[in-house]
Every structure is written in structure tokens, then in C-alpha cells.
Amino acid sequence: MSAWVTRAARVILRRAAGKSVWGQAILAELDEVDGTWATIRWTVGGLRVSWRQQPAAVRRLVVATAGGTAAAVLAGQFLLGVRYMPSGSMEPAIHMSSRVVIDKLGFKLAGLNHGDLLVLHQSGVDGTPQTAVRRLIGLPGDRIECRDGAVFRNGQAVAEPYLAEGTRTDCEPYVVPDKMLYVLGDNRSAAIDSRRTALPTLDDLVGRVIMTL
Amino acid sequence: MPRIPDTSPQTLRIFAALLGDPTSWRYGYDLSRETGLASGTLYPILIRLAERELVETRWEPPAQPGRPARHTYRLTADGAALATQRLAAAKPAAKSAPNRGLRADPAGAQS
């Protein structure tokens, strides 16, 4: 164990030291250091010294690159994402094979609004899981029904200017249960949505569309 | 009150170690063990002292072939004078302010 740590420490310190005299000085002492823990301590200190010996410009570049990469990875993981729109179920608002930029965090802080475009996990007609973009029609407690081809929410007709002209919606009356969402595709005749599949829960939400590319 | 340079407890410990035998060349790891300072604390102080020519450095050829050459340190005449003066100044301060004196005491080693 100790010999293995010493070997690893030598490689790391040699890399870090480069041409720095003081880095080399710390590296040369490594043979004297006894014990695994002492070797690790010596190496960490040596790394700090070698780092401080680097020109400020190099340090800034390394820090900026590492920081930028970390920020980008974090943003991609938790804040933003790009999704491919594989179907025409949201025509005409989102065309097939376009890409959408989604916000993964903001909606959790700001809450959801009727009419939001959501990216969520749902099961397809044959039960296979898929990720879909759908429009939020009903929040928990809302009573959704369709009359004469138009959607009504809690007895009021929903204004849907985003639909293609002449679109008709047919659905069964439904009261949205707690923690669930009622979503519809804009392409009402083709979309697989809450009229046909199990309602998505809040846990199924991936994000909210903020931009179409 | 402006801070007096070279009065930190860590620097004083290094001064005390180097003054132990002012003419001999000391290895970094020996100094680290004697002062209880980690390499990340010890070397930055040595670097500063060397830059101001209070400490001189020398590469010592390896004792056996195949071993690396080692970097060694000792106080210059200026460095020895300053170290003596700083250590002497730290002692009365230790008596008048016991709380701070603990940290300035070179024998206080690691906490």
C-alpha cells in the first residue's frame, strides 16, 4: 500500500513540478517520507507549492477552464437542456425534428402555468416509456371537459390560439387528481396524451420548453 | 499597527530549527518533521525567505547513485541575524500575552 502510494505520489509530483525548482525539491524529499498518510500529506502540500509557482496567467487559464467546464456540466445537468422533437404531435407550435431548449429548474421555483409546454416522461400507446412534449391543460383539481370540439376548464372555455385553425378536441370529462397533470398535444387528432394514457405526475416532469430552435 | 514581517508562529519555528545548527545544510523533510509543519506551509515560507536572501539553497548531489539530488537550506548571515532578533522579540511577548504566547512558542509544535 505504502509503496504504491509513494509511486503514485512521485508521478503526480513530477507532473506538477515541471521545471519548478521548488517542486523538484519537494519531489526529491519523497523517498524520505514514511507512511501512507505522511506521503499523502507531503504530496498535497507539494501540489499546492507547485501550483503557486506557476505563472499567474497559467493558473487563471486552468481555473477558468475547470470552472467553465464544471459550470457547463452543472448547467446541463440541472438548469438547461436541449431535446429533440421526434414527432408532429405538437404541430404547429413545434415542428417535427426541431429542437427545443428546456429549463429544468425554473419551473420548480416559479411553478407551472396553464398553457406551458412541458417535457415529460409518459408511456406510449404500447406501454413503452418515451419522452414527449405536451401542453399543460389541467393542474391538480381542475375539471377538464370538451364541448363542441373545444376544451373547457372548470366550466370556462380555454382560449387556445396556438392550435391550427379548425382543430377540434374530443375528450372525456376528468378531474385532475392531486400531484398529477393533464396534458394535451397541440396536434389533437394525432397526439398521444392525457386522453389516452395515464396522467403524468409531477415526478415525470423533465422541464419546461423555453425556446424552439 | 503595521504587522511585523517574519513573526508568524510558523516562520518562528523554522527560524528556531535553522538556528539549531546555523552552519549545517538542512533537508526540507527534516525541517518539516522538526517544526511539525506540512510541506504546503513549510515550502512557501522557505521560498519567501530564499527570495529575500535570508535563506540560501543548494542542490546536494545524491548520496548513492540512482537517488535524486536533494535541495538543502541554511540561513545566510542576514537571515541568522534576523532570526535571532525575531525569536528574541517573540519571547517577552509570550510572557506578557500568555494566550498568544502559546502559538508563538516554537516548542508548541502542532495543535
Side-chain angles (χ1 to χ4, degrees):
Chain A
M1 171 73 176
S2 186
W4 184 85
V5 170
T6 304
R7 267 205 300 278
R10 186 168 296 126
V11 172
I12 294 169
L13 279 179
R14 187 172 297 141
R15 287 230 156 175
K19 293 194 181 80
S20 146
V21 169
W22 292 93
Q24 293 290 345
I26 294 172
L27 172 64
E29 296 298 294
L30 201 56
D31 284 338
E32 310 300 316
V33 183
D34 251 346
T36 305
W37 184 234
T39 305
I40 293 172
R41 239 165 83 91
W42 190 259
T43 308
V44 170
L47 287 176
R48 265 175 46 200
V49 172
S50 292
W51 173 250
R52 299 295 315 175
Q53 294 285 99
Q54 297 279 351
V58 174
R59 294 209 304 263
R60 266 201 301 275
L61 184 69
V62 171
V63 168
T65 310
T69 309
V73 167
L74 283 176
Q77 204 72 29
F78 300 111
L79 295 179
L80 292 173
V82 176
R83 285 288 191 286
Y84 178 69
M85 181 75 205
S87 77
S89 56
M90 289 304 289
E91 299 273 2
I94 305 174
H95 298 301
M96 192 182 337
S97 4
S98 60
R99 281 172 177 78
V100 292
V101 179
I102 63 172
D103 141 50
K104 302 185 194 180
L105 184 67
F107 71 89
K108 289 182 183 163
L109 306 174
L112 295 169
N113 295 309
H114 292 128
D116 281 351
L117 292 168
L118 304 180
V119 177
L120 37 84
H121 300 297
Q122 68 168 22
S123 46
V125 254
D126 53 354
T128 52
Q130 56 176 221
T131 307
V133 182
R134 295 290 179 266
R135 196 173 292 275
L136 178 59
I137 301 295
L139 286 162
D142 284 342
R143 183 163 47 83
I144 306 297
E145 57 194 316
C146 296
R147 293 181 214 157
D148 304 326
V151 178
F152 281 69
R153 179 167 53 226
N154 302 325
Q156 300 250 328
V158 179
E160 298 197 279
Y162 40 78
L163 295 180
E165 226 168 296
T167 300
R168 284 182 57 89
T169 313
D170 295 304
C171 64
E172 300 295 318
Y174 201 88
V175 176
V176 184
D178 198 24
K179 295 200 168 98
M180 291 195 168
L181 302 170
Y182 191 95
V183 295
L184 294 177
D186 285 356
N187 187 353
R188 295 288 150 82
S189 55
I192 297 157
D193 51 31
S194 294
R195 295 167 297 173
R196 292 170 65 186
T197 69
L199 263 59
T201 66
L202 291 174
D203 289 340
D204 293 323
L205 263 183
V206 180
R208 179 170 55 181
V209 175
I210 50 177
M211 196 199 289
T212 313
L213 299 180
Chain B
M1 201 176 87
R3 206 179 71 88
I4 305 165
D6 316 311
T7 51
S8 76
Q10 292 83 0
T11 307
L12 290 178
R13 277 192 229 166
I14 295 173
F15 279 158
L18 289 171
L19 273 179
D21 182 0
T23 55
S24 73
W25 291 93
R26 302 291 306 271
Y27 298 113
Y29 187 56
D30 293 342
L31 286 174
S32 164
R33 275 209 296 213
E34 185 172 338
T35 58
L37 298 175
S39 56
T41 309
L42 170 73
Y43 278 93
I45 295 173
L46 284 177
I47 292 170
R48 282 198 291 274
L49 294 176
E51 278 168 357
R52 289 157 59 206
E53 296 184 353
L54 298 171
V55 158
E56 52 186 334
T57 69
R58 190 180 74 168
W59 284 100
E60 186 174 277
Q64 301 158 17
R67 288 301 192 93
R70 293 174 72 185
H71 210 213
T72 58
Y73 316 99
R74 72 177 184 189
L75 290 167
T76 61
D78 285 354
L82 183 82
T84 311
Q85 191 258 317
R86 289 288 190 256
L87 284 171
K91 287 228 171 81
K95 273 176 200 139
S96 63
N99 284 339
R100 277 215 240 129
L102 261 185
R103 295 174 57 202
D105 182 2
Q110 277 174 292
S111 51

